[in-house]
Amino acid sequence: MKRLLRGARIIDPSQGLDGLLDLLIEDGRIGMIGEKLKGGQEAIPVEEWDLTGKIVVPGLIDMHTHLREPGYEYKETIRTGCAAAAAGGFTAIAAMANTNPANDNRSVTEFILRKAREADIVRVYPVAAVSRGLEGRILTEFGDLKEAGAVAFSDDGKWVADSSLMRQALEYAASFGMPVISHCEDPYLTAGGSMNEGRMSTELGLRGIPPISEEIAVRRDIALAAYTGLPVHIAHVSAEGSVQAIREAKKAGVPVTAETAPHYFSLTEDFLAEYETAYKVNPPLRSAKDAEAVKGGLADGTIDVIASDHAPHSSIEKDVEFEYAACGMVGLETSLGLSMKLVKDRILSLGQLVEKMSINPARILRIPGGTLKTGAGADITVIDPGHCWKVRADAFRSRSRNSPFDGWALEGKARMTIVGGEIRHDET
Amino acid sequence: MKLRHKDILGMKELSPEEIHLILDTADSFSEVSTRDIKKVPTLRGKTVINLFYEASTRTRTSFEIAAKRLSADAVNISTSTSSVVKGETLIDTAKTLEAMNPDIVIIRHSASGAPHLIARLVRHSVINGGDGFHEHPTQSLLDMLTIRRKKGTLKGLNVAIIGDIAHSRVAHSNIYGLTKMGCRVTVCGPAPMIPRDIEKLGVAVSSDMEEAVRNRDIVMMLRIQFERHQASFPSIREYAKFYCLNRERLEMAKPDALVMHPGPINRGTEIAPDIADGVQSVILEQVTNGIAVRMALLYLLSGGSS
């Protein structure tokens, strides 16, 4: 079966494309892009979609999600997480390793991939642990994990504080052509903290996590990348100092890449005034100055990727005293809408947004996707840029509701998510 | 005038007018505690629950006595553990108590913001009896009542608050309360005990005790909880050497300066015994005034007016 997407503005920076064009999907692949394509000359039936007023982009890729399965199925399963991803416009997601058991051996990697195949909604790329049990002591079996289907390594949730181990991880991963993703946080400076350190933490009487907790860790990882000449990817950048460190490193030619999450440019620590645990996240929401720096980093290319850091938690973890509450917020279904605001505010062009949410994640993870070139898998997101909608956490496909954006009015939404030519989400 | 709050969660939320109202009401209740029959029928039929998740003698007893002197029924619940995993959640406990129709619940909890969490979810009034490192509003109010009685006013007084500022809810509440009432406040302690950006709350900061005490009207010492915050300073001996209020240091303050302490005191650590027991010390009057302040709050939250 063929599908013809008609009349949309097609934006694909991977081939310098931006125009009102038609796109033909054949056998799950991108067939052709052109003006006023005809699909019906041959005997094969063509399903036509009028997408006038919509934007068609390479399928969005979220390189930082937590699917919680195995171990925490009451928060999220691979199936519900994939459904949330499709609803949010993502055709592929990378799943972090801090499940229970952790994804530190091939049986867990294979389990995740099997569950993803059974769900058959979006593509799932497992990120395996750097160290056994995420304990920061012994490396996992990188080669075996790669064979099982892992695409990257990360102890996300924890920094690999042992610099020697992190060096080995960069070196060993590179020998398999695999990236390492670092959750940057000095555990000593963070100890016991539950929000950003500053006037707000002082007022609320909560232990603070200073922004330098992140920056110091970022600077060490940059030093390791510079020394070894091997790539490192910095997860969820939140602090001005980190942005500056990455900017300088990139200028000096260090192979560092970085991501941030929508909450770091959409929220600040000021939202914590009422001890609402929906705003508790790690790294913590920072000051307005940090949020501005994150936007600046996105605008000038210092930050390559917007990733959701989708972190589902149930009321069991969240409806408790602030200090005891779990960190994290769901993001798959709000990521695009929040990021579209950057386009409206002229911080990013639509093309740059596509780079940050599709092309760059594919490049960093070295996975297919991020393009609408002929012959590529037909992973496509259809965006309605002018659609105003209200976030309703109770309508999320995700099993969890821990969103600080519940009730927010957003502009711009994924209307259709196509994976391998199949429509996985349709709101047209 | 009436209080416009359902709850008393912190000094930050109270206006100067409300603070005056509370202190004036407390003044009028003080007399009750000096009577032979220390009881008035004002809150007969009201139920007050003390829900304490942290060990406390003076605050809990003070609230209980305050409630009883107003003829309210007082119930005490002491839960030594605030463990995350063990037992019922805070919200479930609070909702259970709410179902018993109390009028006022006083909460003390080691987690900052715990009373705020409850206050949002229940119909009855909540008084913060001390939450984490955040606030201890009734302590601040009783401190102010004590100062006002001794000095006639709060306006224009120079106050030094000395000790572990970062981990002291008493310091936080007094910073909000005293600056609001026109005091000039200096906080002092070893630098690791001074929280970041504290000066943005309108106080001066010093790590030199002699500088902090000089020409002050009020010297307020804080309890050092070395069992909790070992990492902040090397030893009690070293702390006492540089930050204990002794005779020489007190002499730098104004001759009629008041010495205050929220208790319980560590004799010889933050305050020398002769100073704690000396003529300038108002530590026990603070305790007495605590009952009057708490009577005032129970009365005002029950709908009473001046």
Side-chain angles (χ1 to χ4, degrees):
Chain A
M1 161 125 116
K2 294 184 182 183
R3 291 199 163 94
L4 184 58
L5 311 185
R6 274 204 190 281
R9 177 178 170 195
I10 298 185
I11 300 175
D12 178 12
S14 80
Q15 46 183 330
L17 214 60
D18 185 349
L20 292 175
L21 296 161
D22 296 346
L23 184 151
L24 184 68
I25 301 166
E26 281 178 295
D27 301 327
R29 304 203 158 265
I30 309 284
M32 202 188 303
I33 293 178
E35 285 179 40
K36 307 243 173 329
L37 288 186
K38 281 188 189 148
Q41 315 101 314
E42 298 156 50
I44 311 162
V46 173
E47 185 184 285
E48 292 205 15
W49 294 82
D50 178 10
L51 298 179
T52 309
K54 311 286 192 298
I55 297 172
V56 162
V57 301
L60 303 183
I61 299 170
D62 191 345
M63 69 179 290
H64 195 137
T65 70
H66 296 270
L67 292 183
R68 305 294 188 214
E69 188 179 3
Y72 308 102
E73 291 82 358
Y74 66 101
K75 300 184 188 191
E76 193 83 283
T77 63
I78 288 168
R79 180 179 293 278
T80 57
C82 286
F90 294 100
T91 56
I93 52 179
M96 285 298 165
N98 60 343
T99 47
N100 184 23
N103 182 12
D104 63 357
N105 67 81
R106 74 178 299 149
S107 65
V108 178
T109 306
E110 285 165 352
F111 169 83
I112 292 167
L113 287 170
R114 178 164 61 77
K115 285 284 179 183
R117 245 187 341 267
E118 286 168 12
D120 195 22
I121 301 171
V122 299
R123 300 181 201 276
V124 174
Y125 294 101
V127 176
V130 165
S131 66
R132 275 191 221 169
L134 306 166
E135 284 174 352
R137 287 184 296 135
I138 303 160
L139 289 186
T140 58
E141 296 169 328
F142 283 14
D144 208 34
L145 285 158
K146 182 188 181 181
E147 279 182 11
V151 297
F153 298 100
S154 180
D155 275 359
D156 184 58
K158 289 179 185 171
W159 191 45
V160 179
D162 178 335
S163 303
S164 175
L165 191 78
M166 186 62 173
R167 174 194 176 169
Q168 287 173 45
L170 294 184
E171 291 171 343
Y172 195 48
S175 67
F176 291 104
M178 303 269 280
V180 176
I181 301 167
S182 182
H183 167 115
C184 288
E185 175 181 33
D186 181 307
Y188 299 102
L189 279 168
T190 294
S194 50
M195 65 171 292
N196 187 44
E197 182 179 73
R199 177 187 174 145
M200 206 60 190
S201 65
T202 294
E203 280 192 27
L204 293 175
L206 293 168
R207 286 183 207 269
I209 302 173
I212 52 162
S213 165
E214 177 177 289
E215 183 188 340
I216 285 170
V218 167
R219 288 191 184 273
R220 187 216 59 183
D221 285 331
I222 287 170
L224 284 173
Y227 183 69
T228 59
L230 299 171
V232 69
H233 177 78
I234 310 295
H236 43 54
V237 171
S238 68
E240 182 182 24
S242 311
V243 176
Q244 190 51 33
I246 295 161
R247 183 176 289 131
E248 288 162 14
K250 284 193 161 184
K251 201 174 267 179
V254 180
V256 58
T257 53
E259 78 194 25
T260 190
H263 38 274
Y264 298 119
F265 56 75
S266 306
L267 301 171
T268 64
E269 60 186 343
D270 296 333
F271 282 86
L272 289 161
E274 302 296 321
Y275 295 96
E276 279 285 356
T277 59
Y279 298 100
K280 188 175 178 186
V281 63
N282 189 23
L285 300 178
R286 307 265 186 207
S287 68
K289 200 156 164 276
D290 291 296
E292 284 309 308
V294 166
K295 287 183 201 170
L298 283 165
D300 74 3
T302 300
I303 299 174
D304 307 84
V305 170
I306 298 171
S308 72
D309 196 2
H310 179 77
H313 288 295
S314 80
S315 62
I316 298 169
E317 290 81 25
K318 284 292 192 181
D319 288 352
V320 295
E321 297 87 326
F322 191 87
E323 293 169 37
Y324 306 156
C327 293
M329 33 184 83
V330 290
L332 281 167
E333 292 168 78
T334 49
S335 218
L336 177 61
L338 291 163
S339 301
M340 288 289 285
K341 179 132 198 325
L342 298 177
V343 177
K344 200 177 179 197
D345 295 345
R346 300 185 177 280
I347 291 160
L348 296 179
S349 68
L350 272 168
Q352 286 171 314
L353 186 73
V354 174
E355 288 172 10
K356 311 249 183 232
M357 297 188 75
S358 178
I359 298 176
N360 293 343
R363 173 174 54 82
I364 292 162
L365 293 176
R366 304 173 206 193
I367 56 175
T371 184
L372 298 175
K373 282 183 186 155
T374 301
D379 289 6
I380 297 165
T381 303
V382 179
I383 300 169
D384 185 345
H387 179 66
C388 295
W389 60 291
K390 198 167 186 180
V391 178
R392 279 184 51 217
D394 60 1
F396 280 163
R397 270 67 160 190
S398 169
R399 187 163 277 186
S400 288
R401 304 278 172 263
N402 54 309
S403 171
F405 303 109
D406 192 20
W408 277 41
L410 298 179
E411 192 175 332
K413 196 174 199 306
R415 289 302 211 157
M416 197 194 263
T417 307
I418 302 171
V419 181
E422 299 299 321
I423 295 166
R424 300 306 191 186
H425 178 74
D426 179 14
E427 281 183 56
T428 49
Chain B
M1 187 180 168
K2 285 187 170 205
L3 271 186
R4 56 183 177 82
H5 297 277
K6 169 178 145 306
D7 312 296
I8 298 293
L9 298 177
M11 298 307 293
K12 194 178 168 185
E13 291 83 20
L14 293 176
S15 67
E17 295 71 35
E18 289 172 310
I19 293 170
H20 276 304
L21 169 67
I22 296 164
L23 298 184
D24 292 347
T25 310
D27 263 332
S28 66
F29 276 123
S30 287
E31 178 264 333
V32 174
S33 295
T34 63
R35 293 183 194 172
D36 189 29
I37 310 271
K38 301 178 188 59
K39 214 176 191 54
V40 290
T42 317
L43 295 189
R44 198 159 57 195
K46 301 279 183 185
T47 305
V48 174
I49 300 179
N50 276 316
L51 176 59
F52 275 54
Y53 283 88
E54 267 190 340
S56 161
T57 309
R58 70 196 60 221
T59 304
R60 191 183 54 70
T61 309
S62 180
F63 268 112
E64 185 178 355
I65 290 174
K68 287 181 169 165
R69 288 192 180 158
L70 291 170
S71 302
D73 297 308
V75 179
N76 293 315
I77 303 168
S78 295
T79 313
S80 56
T81 176
S82 55
S83 159
V84 194
V85 282
K86 222 161 124 189
E88 196 172 50
T89 67
L90 178 62
I91 290 176
D92 284 336
T93 304
K95 296 295 260 181
T96 303
L97 294 180
E98 185 193 22
M100 300 179 194
N101 294 315
D103 298 284
I104 299 173
V105 174
I106 296 114
I107 300 176
R108 165 169 289 193
H109 201 290
S110 62
S112 300
H116 306 65
L117 175 64
I118 296 316
R120 274 202 294 274
L121 297 173
V122 297
R123 294 182 306 272
H124 58 71
S125 292
V126 171
I127 299 177
N128 182 356
D131 65 323
F133 313 142
H134 180 227
E135 282 230 35
H136 192 351
T138 59
Q139 178 69 45
S140 174
L141 288 164
L142 73 86
D143 289 344
M144 286 198 249
L145 183 65
T146 307
I147 296 170
R148 205 175 76 164
R149 285 192 170 174
K150 288 284 174 185
K151 297 287 184 189
T153 180
L154 292 158
K155 211 173 166 64
L157 295 179
N158 292 299
V159 182
I161 305 176
I162 297 163
D164 186 354
I165 308 297
H167 300 113
S168 172
R169 51 197 175 210
V170 176
H172 279 77
S173 282
N174 270 321
I175 288 169
Y176 289 128
L178 292 173
T179 54
K180 226 171 255 191
M181 302 309 280
C183 295
R184 283 185 291 273
V185 177
T186 301
V187 297
C188 172
M193 291 181 173
I194 306 288
R196 195 167 173 87
D197 293 341
I198 188 85
E199 66 284 354
K200 291 183 183 164
L201 302 186
V203 298
V205 181
S206 173
S207 278
D208 178 346
M209 180 153 173
E210 285 161 17
E211 179 191 80
V213 170
R214 193 166 293 130
N215 290 324
R216 294 301 186 274
D217 299 290
I218 311 289
V219 180
M220 188 181 286
M221 302 307 296
L222 301 173
R223 175 178 167 79
I224 290 299
Q225 291 173 295
F226 37 85
E227 66 278 7
R228 261 205 230 168
H229 314 300
Q230 254 165 353
S232 301
F233 60 104
S235 68
I236 298 163
R237 177 187 158 273
E238 172 130 320
Y239 182 84
K241 187 171 169 187
F242 291 98
Y243 294 99
C244 180
L245 185 65
N246 55 24
R247 173 65 48 205
E248 298 76 55
R249 287 179 178 137
L250 182 56
E251 276 170 4
M252 297 183 176
K254 287 194 182 156
D256 61 347
L258 302 180
V259 172
M260 305 181 79
H261 193 298
I265 59 175
N266 295 304
R267 286 174 182 266
T269 301
E270 68 264 359
I271 190 163
D274 59 318
I275 301 302
D277 303 332
V279 290
Q280 287 169 268
S281 167
V282 293
I283 294 172
L284 294 175
E285 289 167 77
Q286 289 173 267
V287 176
T288 305
N289 289 333
I291 290 175
V293 155
R294 289 172 178 122
M295 287 170 81
L297 285 178
L298 295 175
Y299 168 73
L300 290 168
L301 284 178
S302 302
S305 57
S306 56

